[in-house]
Every structure is written in structure tokens, then in C-alpha cells.
Amino acid sequence: MRGRKPTAPALKVIAGTARPDREAPDAPQFEQVTQFPEPPQHLNPDGAAMWRELGPQLVAARVLQTVDLYALEQLCYAWQRFRAKAKAGMDMTAAEDTALKALFSEFGMTNASRRRVTAGPEALKSNKFAANGKRGA
């Protein structure tokens, strides 16, 4: 049996649950995406629409790093496959459904996953736990 997936360190700070004794000092840091790219050419109109709608929102929330573009591409591709099957009147397999839901959760696109973390500069200002117990002057 597996436990919960680890939460990214930056998301722990935003959520107010970061603790110095649980930090992974060698955790990789990647560049933030500031200019969102055009969708990959292999995405059909449904996948490209999701890319164009979701990507800029993730950039604005400052949660998208360069390495996340691959997972976002995978999400958009899985979404376009879901839409193609739905339009053809076909059902998704249980594995496809589970994989799509997992990708939605990775990007905070489910009700439960959004509740775990808030993002953006305003969230940090209003989060009294973001300083990890350090008192201000």
C-alpha cells in the first residue's frame, strides 16, 4: 500500500505546512515559466484549446516550471483522446479515466486538489504560517 504523494516544497510554503526539519536540501529547482509557449503541433483542436486556456492560468498562478510543460502536454493529449472518444460515443477504459483524473489532480484541477493549496502572492501575505514559526520584527 502506498501513502500520499509528497507535496512540492514550494507548495508547502504556500500552504503553510513547510517545516525546516522535513526539507530536502538537494531537491531540484527549475525555472519558472513566464512566457507560455504555443501548443505542440501534434495536439488536435481540443488538446490545443486546453493548452491555450490552462497554460496561461498556471503561469499567472506562478505554479508552472519548465519541466511541468511535459506533464501539461500529457494532460492535454489525454484530454484530446477523451474528447475524441466522447464525440464518437465510445467509453474510456478505467485506466484512461484514472490517468486523466491523476493528471487533473497534479495541476490542481479537482475540487479536492485545489483545497490543499492556494497560490499567488496574496496567499503568501495572508498566510500566518508561511514564515515557519519565525516572528517578525
Side-chain angles (χ1 to χ4, degrees):
M1 189 164 98
R2 296 180 355 192
R4 288 179 56 175
K5 286 187 318 181
T7 303
L11 297 180
K12 288 180 183 179
V13 170
I14 293 170
T17 60
R19 287 181 34 186
D21 62 320
R22 293 185 179 172
E23 286 182 13
D26 56 350
Q29 295 293 319
F30 299 98
E31 194 176 314
Q32 285 290 127
V33 175
T34 55
Q35 297 290 332
F36 193 70
E38 287 297 312
Q41 291 183 359
H42 64 274
L43 292 179
N44 72 14
D46 288 323
M50 177 180 249
W51 178 273
R52 286 188 182 105
E53 291 170 14
L54 180 59
Q57 292 180 51
L58 294 169
V59 170
R62 299 182 348 173
V63 297
L64 194 67
Q65 296 182 5
T66 55
V67 295
D68 299 328
L69 291 173
Y70 300 106
L72 180 59
E73 180 179 348
Q74 185 180 12
L75 170 61
C76 293
Y77 184 75
W79 177 252
Q80 79 180 24
R81 289 186 52 173
F82 162 75
R83 295 294 299 236
K85 283 189 166 193
K87 289 175 184 177
M90 299 171 59
D91 290 330
M92 292 180 69
T93 66
E96 289 170 329
D97 186 51
T98 300
L100 185 58
K101 286 178 183 176
L103 285 165
F104 279 139
S105 183
E106 286 289 323
F107 287 98
M109 294 176 60
T110 64
N111 192 21
S113 64
R114 274 192 309 278
R115 288 182 186 174
R116 287 193 297 258
V117 175
T118 58
E122 293 305 312
L124 286 175
K125 287 179 187 173
S126 65
N127 186 345
K128 65 182 179 180
F129 300 107
N132 280 333
K134 298 173 189 159
R135 295 183 186 259

